[in-house]
């Protein structure tokens, strides 16, 4: 009888109409596929049923989270994901990944006799017919109105209330869950993560031109790292808001330990509930992805009203590539089900336009795309180095979710499928004064 790996390779290649880009190691110990290619370990036949019942990204993700698909070891996930990307997404004429890939396209051709025969054989290999239940870590997609205040609180809790000890293990002592700012010589060195995060916090403060005695509002303050840095290094009075109770508890403890309770306040509060402006500066670092396109104009307008004339906003936000039909844009299935429920990405052009519609003057835009790829690789290295402890602090499946999403995101930034942008905007005075210098940045040759 042919070994399982050889059968899997042959059937998958019949289905795809193309060579398999990875090597397969099956549950019976057999191996097949191109020599030297990244190894996909199929630990359990159940993985086949997951993919056949939900072809594409979500089926593969469910099998990964359940531990039925795996790699050969730490560091191997990047190469594997790079090779598998073509099975899930095809590139259009501009080279951007856009349309459903070979796997889903093949299974859509159910009337093709060869496709049906391959699917039948794969189902036999996969065992009993019913589709397996999704892993416990999957959040069932909800119907109804998105981005109400109560629903946003639930979505934020799903992602951030995993446990502060878990996040400290992944993020390191800085507890900064956003893109770091790397020095050229430090690129790729994970031991420099703390320095790079401190540099990012200071970059934000300098762009906002913070001065002693000013009021800063940090929207989506996380574990309080930015407000602490701004109060300690720049002498501001800062308010940080978050929807995560666990984040707020941790941040308040840090504020007390640093003796900054007279200058830093941490609130569990929605940005739509803040009414104690004006502020001299507002930072929104990695929060706007949770707002949603239906609410983004409201978000921009609320922040505009909270700023004094001459005040600055620093909006630090992940952006996706634009698509030809923006109305057809859909939220990534895996991210929505396991990572950021209801999270949405917008092209940076849309972000700039909405900020301008709200009344802001956009004065600077800086892409930190490569910086985020380095940051994510550092976080993945932290997680892989202490995976057993991470699984104990959360769950085995949750730790695998974080490893998969961070590694996949690192590749997405590296390949320019997504980006990260810092947009500096100003609420000018009635006379049009921005308060900025004639030259805010000096450019030099690379």
């Amino acid at each position: 009888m042919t070994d399982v790996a050889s059968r899997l390779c042959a059937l998958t290649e019949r289905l795809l109409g193309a060579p398999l880009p990875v090597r397969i190691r099956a549950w019976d110990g057999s191996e097949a596929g191109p020599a030297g290619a990244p190894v996909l370990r199929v630990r359990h036949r159940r993985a086949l049923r997951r993919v056949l019942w939900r072809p594409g990204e979500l089926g593969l993700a469910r099998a990964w989270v359940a531990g039925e698909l795996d790699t050969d070891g730490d560091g191997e996930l990047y190469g594997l994901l790079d090779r598998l990307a073509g099975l899930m997404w095809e590139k259009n004429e501009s080279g951007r990944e856009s349309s459903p890939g070979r796997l889903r396209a093949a299974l859509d051709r159910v009337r093709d006799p060869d496709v049906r025969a391959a699917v039948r054989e794969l189902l036999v290999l996969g065992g009993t017919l019913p589709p397996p239940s999704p892993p416990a870590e999957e959040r069932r997609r909800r119907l109804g109105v998105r981005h109400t205040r109560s629903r946003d609180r639930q979505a934020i809790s799903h992602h951030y209330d995993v446990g502060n000890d878990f996040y400290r293990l992944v993020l390191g002592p800085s507890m900064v869950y956003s893109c770091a700012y790397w020095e050229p010589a430090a690129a790729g060195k994970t031991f420099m993560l703390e320095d790079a995060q401190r540099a990012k916090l200071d970059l934000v403060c300098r762009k906002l031109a913070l001065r002693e005695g000013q009021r800063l509002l940090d929207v989506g303050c996380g574990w309080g790292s930015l407000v602490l840095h701004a109060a300690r290094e720049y002498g501001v009075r800062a308010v940080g808001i978050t929807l995560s109770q666990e984040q707020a508890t941790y941040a308040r403890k840090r504020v007390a330990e640093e003796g900054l309770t007279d200058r830093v306040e941490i609130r569990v509060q929605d940005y739509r509930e803040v009414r104690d402006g004006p502020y001299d500066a507002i930072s929104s670092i990695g929060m706007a992805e949770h707002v949603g396109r239906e609410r983004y104009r409201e978000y921009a307008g609320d922040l505009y009203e909270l700023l004094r004339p001459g005040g600055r906003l620093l909006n630090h936000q992940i952006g996706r590539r634009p698509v030809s039909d923006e109305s057809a844009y859909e939220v990534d299935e895996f991210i929505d089900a396991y990572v950021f429920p209801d999270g949405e990405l917008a092209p940076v052009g849309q972000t700039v336009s909405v900020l301008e519609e709200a009344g802001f003057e956009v004065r600077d835009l800086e892409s930190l795309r490569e910086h985020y790829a380095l940051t994510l690789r550092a976080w993945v290295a932290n997680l892989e180095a202490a995976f057993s402890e991470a699984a104990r602090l959360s769950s085995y499946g949750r730790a695998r979710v974080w490893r998969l999403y961070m590694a996949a995101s690192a590749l997405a930034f590296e390949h320019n499928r997504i980006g990260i942008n810092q947009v500096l905007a100003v609420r000018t005075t009635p006379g049009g004064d921005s308060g900025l210098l004639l030259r805010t940045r000096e450019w030099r040759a690379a």
Side-chain angles (χ1 to χ4, degrees):
M1 181 178 175
T2 307
D3 60 66
V4 170
S6 295
R7 290 177 67 193
L8 270 176
C9 282
L11 290 168
T12 305
E13 289 179 352
R14 275 172 58 192
L15 204 59
L16 300 176
L20 197 64
V22 299
R23 187 167 179 80
I24 298 291
R25 182 179 300 155
W27 58 86
D28 66 343
S30 61
E31 283 194 36
V39 174
L40 175 63
R41 300 178 66 183
V42 186
R43 291 180 175 273
H44 199 286
R45 64 178 70 242
R46 210 168 25 242
L48 304 185
R49 301 205 306 279
R50 292 193 191 278
V51 175
L52 289 168
W53 280 96
R54 193 61 183 260
E57 181 177 296
L58 190 57
L60 288 167
R62 285 172 172 171
W64 169 269
V65 174
E68 297 153 6
L69 294 179
D70 210 343
T71 63
D72 245 8
D74 291 352
E76 297 295 316
L77 185 54
Y78 297 107
L80 188 64
L81 289 172
D82 238 357
R83 295 290 186 96
L84 289 175
L87 298 183
M88 294 179 285
W89 299 98
E90 291 284 2
K91 294 182 183 296
N92 59 24
E93 63 278 2
S94 66
R96 305 294 175 208
E97 294 176 355
S98 59
S99 56
R102 291 192 182 98
L103 181 58
R104 187 179 295 178
L107 291 172
D108 284 344
R109 300 196 308 272
V110 291
R111 294 185 180 180
D112 185 317
D114 199 43
V115 169
R116 293 177 72 176
V119 169
R120 278 197 300 270
E121 290 186 55
L122 285 168
L123 282 170
V124 170
L125 265 183
T128 55
L129 188 59
S133 299
E137 290 76 15
E138 182 170 320
R139 185 178 186 269
R140 192 170 294 179
R141 195 161 191 176
R142 300 175 63 196
L143 300 176
V145 179
R146 290 183 298 176
H147 301 297
T148 62
R149 297 186 191 190
S150 61
R151 182 158 166 170
D152 278 353
R153 287 180 188 274
Q154 292 170 14
I156 293 298
S157 178
H158 173 87
H159 186 79
Y160 293 102
D161 291 340
V162 178
N164 294 327
D165 291 339
F166 173 86
Y167 273 106
R168 185 174 176 84
L169 185 152
V170 174
L171 304 179
S174 71
M175 289 298 278
V176 179
Y177 191 25
S178 55
C179 172
Y181 194 61
W182 298 83
E183 292 292 334
K189 298 181 181 179
T190 57
F191 63 86
M192 296 294 292
L193 177 61
E194 292 304 301
D195 291 336
Q197 288 293 14
R198 189 161 44 251
K200 189 277 299 299
L201 297 178
D202 207 63
L203 177 68
V204 171
C205 293
R206 286 185 282 114
K207 286 184 174 182
L208 289 171
L210 296 181
R211 300 188 304 278
E212 187 167 356
Q214 288 187 325
R215 296 188 76 210
L216 167 69
L217 173 66
D218 187 24
V219 182
C221 67
W223 292 271
S225 299
L226 177 59
V227 288
L228 284 167
H229 183 88
R232 183 177 59 245
E233 304 298 330
Y234 290 83
V236 303
R237 291 176 292 121
V239 173
I241 63 171
T242 175
L243 293 181
S244 166
Q245 186 62 59
E246 288 199 28
Q247 284 185 334
T249 299
Y250 188 94
R252 287 166 181 158
K253 182 173 182 290
R254 294 176 75 187
V255 170
E257 288 173 348
E258 292 206 27
L260 292 171
T261 52
D262 60 329
R263 280 189 277 167
V264 177
E265 179 187 1
I266 304 295
R267 305 173 186 167
V268 177
Q269 189 174 37
D270 191 287
Y271 69 91
R272 288 162 285 195
E273 298 167 348
V274 180
R275 293 291 180 267
D276 62 342
Y279 287 87
D280 299 289
I282 297 177
S283 53
S284 178
I285 313 298
M287 178 272 175
E289 298 89 338
H290 296 289
V291 170
R293 54 186 160 184
E294 310 102 310
R295 297 285 184 180
Y296 204 89
R297 179 62 180 79
E298 177 185 5
Y299 159 83
D302 283 353
L303 299 192
Y304 183 83
E305 292 301 323
L306 286 167
L307 266 181
R308 66 165 176 81
R312 300 185 187 186
L313 165 70
L314 195 285
N315 189 78
H316 174 115
Q317 180 177 348
I318 298 172
R320 60 175 171 84
R321 302 295 303 183
V323 294
S324 55
D325 181 7
E326 283 293 329
S327 65
Y329 164 71
E330 293 183 357
V331 176
D332 181 280
E333 284 187 306
F334 166 63
I335 296 296
D336 190 52
Y338 285 96
V339 186
F340 292 106
D342 294 341
E344 294 180 73
L345 303 183
V348 65
Q350 287 186 13
T351 297
V352 168
S353 293
V354 175
L355 290 173
E356 289 182 329
E357 289 167 9
F360 285 105
E361 180 187 20
V362 172
R363 294 299 301 250
D364 187 74
L365 191 154
E366 183 176 7
S367 172
L368 303 180
R369 179 171 62 82
E370 293 88 351
H371 293 262
Y372 217 161
L374 291 169
T375 306
L376 285 155
R377 283 183 177 265
W379 290 342
V380 171
N382 286 346
L383 178 58
E384 289 182 340
F387 186 84
S388 296
E389 179 66 4
R392 185 189 69 81
L393 291 170
S394 53
S395 70
Y396 174 74
R398 178 80 69 171
R400 289 180 67 81
V401 166
W402 256 244
R403 185 180 173 212
L404 177 61
Y405 112 78
M406 291 193 299
S409 296
L411 291 172
F413 282 108
E414 288 169 358
H415 296 319
N416 194 22
R417 294 196 288 269
I418 55 177
I420 180 80
N421 304 286
Q422 286 193 347
V423 179
L424 179 65
V426 180
R427 176 175 177 172
T428 60
T429 66
D433 183 13
S434 69
L436 273 78
L437 300 174
L438 288 177
R439 291 188 179 186
T440 54
R441 274 205 257 161
E442 294 292 336
W443 293 94
R444 65 174 185 265

